[in-house]
Amino acid sequence: MATIQQEYRLKLDDAEFKNGQKKEVEVEGIEGAKVLLLKVNDQLRALGPKCTHFGAPLIKGIIAGDGRITCPWHGACFNIGTGDIENAPALDHLAAFPVSVKNGAVYITGTEANIKAGRRKPNIKCHPVTTAGAEHVVIVGGGSAAIGAIEGLREKGFNGQITVLTLESHLPIDRTKLSKALIADEKKIEWRNAQHFSEAGVNFHLSTEVTSVDFKNHKLKTSSGGEFGYSKVLFCTGGTPRNLSMPGFKDLKGIFVLRGIEDVQGINKVVGGNGKKVVVVGTGFIGMEVSKCLAGKGNDLTVVGTSQYPLERVMGGKVGKIFKKQLEDTGVKFRMNASVESAEPSASDPTHVGAITLKGGERLEADLVILGVGVTPTTGYFKNSGIELEKDGSVRVDDYWRIKGLDDSYAVGDIATYPYHGPGASPDSHVRIEHWNVAQDAGRQVGAHIAAAEKPVHFIPIFWSALGAQLRYCGATPNGYDDVVFHGDEDKYSFVAYYTKGEDVVAVASMQKDPYMVQCAELMRRGVMPSKKEIIGGVDVLGLKVPAGVTI
């Protein structure tokens, strides 16, 4: 395959584009190759046509006036001029190609390999400086935030040492595929391989638990007696799944939480060839996703929840009712407005769970039980460190993700309560959001701040979930919401739901309505999201231009 830069003509009848217009165009001379041609600020640009996360067609993406394009599915953002990532969850950049117009024909310049690939890995190769006094960043945690921080550090020019201390036994994985698909092989969901991190000069210490922090002397201690010094430290240890305190739950085998590879391996071992009776306790996203996955494999699924509808606390009753119906269509049964009383042993094996008893006496037979009752921030290492934690066990940070009172210590992800400036926020609004891409965005921003003193640019949180038709969600509700404006057909699982606080639209959920959610996220970010009154009045958010500049 050719590796020489050369000009290629695009198969295009009309080279006249309006600002904001985009087309997916074939490349002459390269079979099957396409680029996304678009015009922004009076300049033609050419990019790889698919998001580097899950391959979403960027022809359906959202173009902003400040020169970035947002994936229509999961909100990954790329700089239109360079193809560089600006927001998670993508890790690879888009390929970007110079464009020229000659005699009415449009050409791009690039190599055949790059045009076919449509993407490029970040260049993070580095031989770290290890002399006395050299910078040393230690990352505590090995998930989404860690990989964002590593790539942010190296791409922005940090040439000091990077050490990762993680309790995980593997390199960073796409954790979202654990509950959605129960994939138990870490190699299949590994974001980057060992060679990638080795070339970047990153030193991973797997299966390593940090137990204490000495902020004054810049030292971390581990459970095995190890000690690590640092010049800067980032904590991103995620959450620890909650168990239940009722009788049987801490004693019987066959009861699982779902957080890591080991949990999935245990679940898959008990499920075996499927056809098992499974009880899922909890109606959050983890519980719903794993229920859909296991029901689809031919297991008998029953979900137990304390509310009337799944996800009702976050999404409201109307949308929660849709989720319930979707899962019932796959064979999932529900016991709602119910509370668990105990886990009972199996008649054939008194060490293994055999049933769950609900308050009121109903008994649900179970070959295995999965708990999805939330997580608590993993912050035990802060004990005796002088840091005052929030009531939920998280740590408060500032707009730069720095721990309060410490200029050289950062925290992101599930453990961080951070300032939120989006719609509906008050001057002192803080949120803690357990979203995979929020952690990666924050980690990347910390890396850029440490390496190049870049000020973080606020983003609107985005979330997605596999509940039949894919759910998309953006925004946050630190002060709650008081109404939901629903547009769509709930029977066909096709809708956009606008969550409002007064006249402010503070969050948006959608199904089968791409790219409404990402358009709303971009409008929110710029402070130009239509009001509740305008939404009710029929304004179509897709018809609005996304201007330049971020106002939150």
Side-chain angles (χ1 to χ4, degrees):
M1 187 176 292
T3 58
I4 301 172
Q5 291 264 355
Q6 65 183 80
E7 280 193 338
Y8 293 89
R9 181 170 175 166
L10 301 184
K11 295 180 180 180
L12 189 68
D13 294 331
D14 187 358
E16 292 298 320
F17 273 56
K18 297 178 181 178
N19 277 324
Q21 187 179 359
K22 54 187 183 299
K23 291 182 181 180
E24 196 174 89
V25 186
E26 292 183 8
V27 181
E28 288 187 0
I30 306 178
E31 185 178 355
K34 294 182 179 181
V35 295
L36 184 72
L37 188 67
L38 64 168
K39 191 172 188 178
V40 178
N41 299 326
D42 298 323
Q43 284 190 302
L44 280 175
R45 304 286 192 178
L47 300 167
K50 294 182 179 180
C51 179
T52 62
H53 177 226
F54 269 9
L58 292 177
I59 188 67
K60 296 182 179 180
I62 299 300
I63 295 176
D66 49 3
R68 74 180 204 160
I69 187 166
T70 303
C71 166
W73 290 358
H74 305 117
C77 299
F78 304 89
N79 183 289
I80 288 171
T82 64
D84 290 352
I85 296 163
E86 293 198 355
N87 279 111
L91 284 178
D92 285 354
H93 304 303
L94 291 174
F97 308 100
V99 180
S100 59
V101 180
K102 302 175 184 178
N103 300 320
V106 180
Y107 297 81
I108 62 170
T109 301
T111 67
E112 182 177 341
N114 288 342
I115 292 169
K116 277 194 165 185
R119 63 197 292 162
R120 58 184 171 84
K121 281 190 174 182
N123 180 15
I124 65 171
K125 292 182 179 180
C126 179
H127 295 288
V129 176
T130 59
T131 53
E135 288 283 298
H136 184 190
V137 173
V138 175
I139 300 171
V140 183
S144 173
I147 195 167
I150 289 167
E151 306 216 343
L153 281 162
R154 288 293 188 235
E155 281 209 285
K156 293 297 181 179
F158 180 76
N159 65 354
Q161 296 179 72
I162 301 176
T163 298
V164 180
L165 309 177
T166 174
L167 195 54
E168 309 276 11
S169 60
H170 47 74
L171 297 174
I173 59 171
D174 184 352
R175 196 182 298 277
T176 66
K177 292 181 179 177
L178 298 181
S179 57
K180 290 176 173 67
L182 288 173
I183 297 174
D185 182 352
E186 66 265 24
K187 294 299 180 183
K188 291 182 178 179
I189 54 176
E190 199 174 71
W191 278 113
R192 304 291 197 200
N193 61 24
Q195 181 181 349
H196 177 84
F197 292 116
S198 176
E199 290 176 348
V202 179
N203 189 11
F204 270 84
H205 292 259
L206 303 177
S207 303
T208 300
E209 181 183 15
V210 171
T211 53
S212 66
V213 187
D214 180 349
F215 287 110
K216 182 178 179 181
N217 294 302
H218 289 64
K219 293 191 180 296
L220 305 162
K221 290 187 177 180
T222 69
S223 58
S224 62
E227 185 174 278
F228 294 82
Y230 63 84
S231 55
K232 297 279 195 305
V233 62
L234 168 61
F235 298 96
C236 49
T237 42
T240 300
R242 296 189 184 105
N243 205 327
L244 293 178
S245 59
M246 295 82 163
F249 281 96
K250 293 185 178 180
D251 307 321
L252 295 174
K253 298 176 183 177
I255 298 176
F256 300 93
V257 295
L258 181 47
R259 180 71 178 178
I261 289 285
E262 296 79 7
D263 301 321
V264 174
Q265 290 171 342
I267 290 169
N268 286 343
K269 183 177 181 181
V270 176
V271 169
N274 298 303
K276 299 296 192 296
K277 293 181 178 179
V278 184
V279 174
V280 174
V281 181
T283 56
F285 287 109
I286 296 297
M288 296 300 93
E289 289 172 356
V290 73
S291 295
K292 175 181 176 291
C293 177
L294 285 172
K297 294 181 177 182
N299 297 287
D300 182 349
L301 253 293
T302 303
V303 174
V304 178
T306 57
S307 57
Q308 184 175 0
Y309 297 110
L311 297 162
E312 184 175 0
R313 183 183 63 82
V314 176
M315 310 296 294
K318 189 176 185 72
V319 175
K321 183 180 179 181
I322 294 172
F323 298 154
K324 182 172 183 285
K325 178 65 166 58
Q326 276 191 305
L327 289 170
E328 286 174 336
D329 288 348
T330 69
V332 175
K333 299 183 289 291
F334 285 87
R335 296 292 187 275
M336 302 304 293
N337 295 315
S339 298
V340 172
E341 191 160 83
S342 64
E344 307 297 335
S346 166
S348 60
D349 182 356
T351 68
H352 197 280
V353 70
I356 294 295
T357 300
L358 306 182
K359 288 183 180 178
E362 184 178 6
R363 188 173 182 273
L364 304 174
E365 292 187 4
D367 296 307
L368 71 152
V369 175
I370 300 173
L371 303 179
V373 292
V375 302
T376 55
T378 305
T379 53
Y381 45 80
F382 285 135
K383 186 178 181 181
N384 300 322
S385 70
I387 293 297
E388 182 179 351
L389 299 179
E390 302 292 291
K391 290 181 179 179
D392 63 0
S394 65
V395 59
R396 183 167 291 216
V397 299
D398 64 14
D399 284 322
Y400 292 81
W401 307 98
R402 295 174 300 202
I403 296 173
K404 188 177 179 181
L406 299 169
D407 289 336
D408 49 19
S409 302
Y410 302 77
V412 301
D414 292 6
I415 69 169
T417 293
Y418 69 92
Y420 184 67
H421 305 290
S426 53
D428 192 42
S429 287
H430 284 70
V431 293
R432 185 178 72 84
I433 297 179
E434 298 167 1
H435 294 179
W436 191 91
N437 64 327
V438 169
Q440 190 192 111
D441 274 339
R444 190 180 294 276
Q445 290 187 352
V446 168
H449 183 248
I450 292 173
E454 289 190 9
K455 182 178 180 180
V457 178
H458 295 292
F459 54 84
I460 296 293
I462 285 177
F463 180 78
W464 65 94
S465 186
L467 299 172
Q470 288 281 331
L471 168 73
R472 323 283 191 206
Y473 181 90
C474 70
T477 55
N479 295 315
Y481 62 90
D482 51 34
D483 198 7
V484 182
V485 180
F486 187 92
H487 289 173
D489 188 334
E490 57 187 283
D491 293 329
K492 294 181 179 179
Y493 311 137
S494 176
F495 67 87
V496 182
Y498 300 90
Y499 295 80
T500 61
K501 179 75 171 178
E503 281 296 307
D504 291 330
V505 176
V506 297
V508 176
S510 72
M511 276 188 170
Q512 301 189 75
K513 285 288 188 179
D514 297 335
Y516 271 89
M517 180 276 288
V518 293
Q519 171 82 347
C520 291
E522 291 297 287
L523 293 172
M524 287 179 180
R525 191 168 177 257
R526 290 161 172 80
V528 293
M529 182 69 194
S531 67
K532 175 183 177 181
K533 183 178 180 180
E534 290 172 317
I535 295 293
I536 293 174
V539 66
D540 183 0
V541 297
L542 290 187
L544 303 176
K545 288 186 177 181
V546 179
V550 176
T551 61
I552 68 167

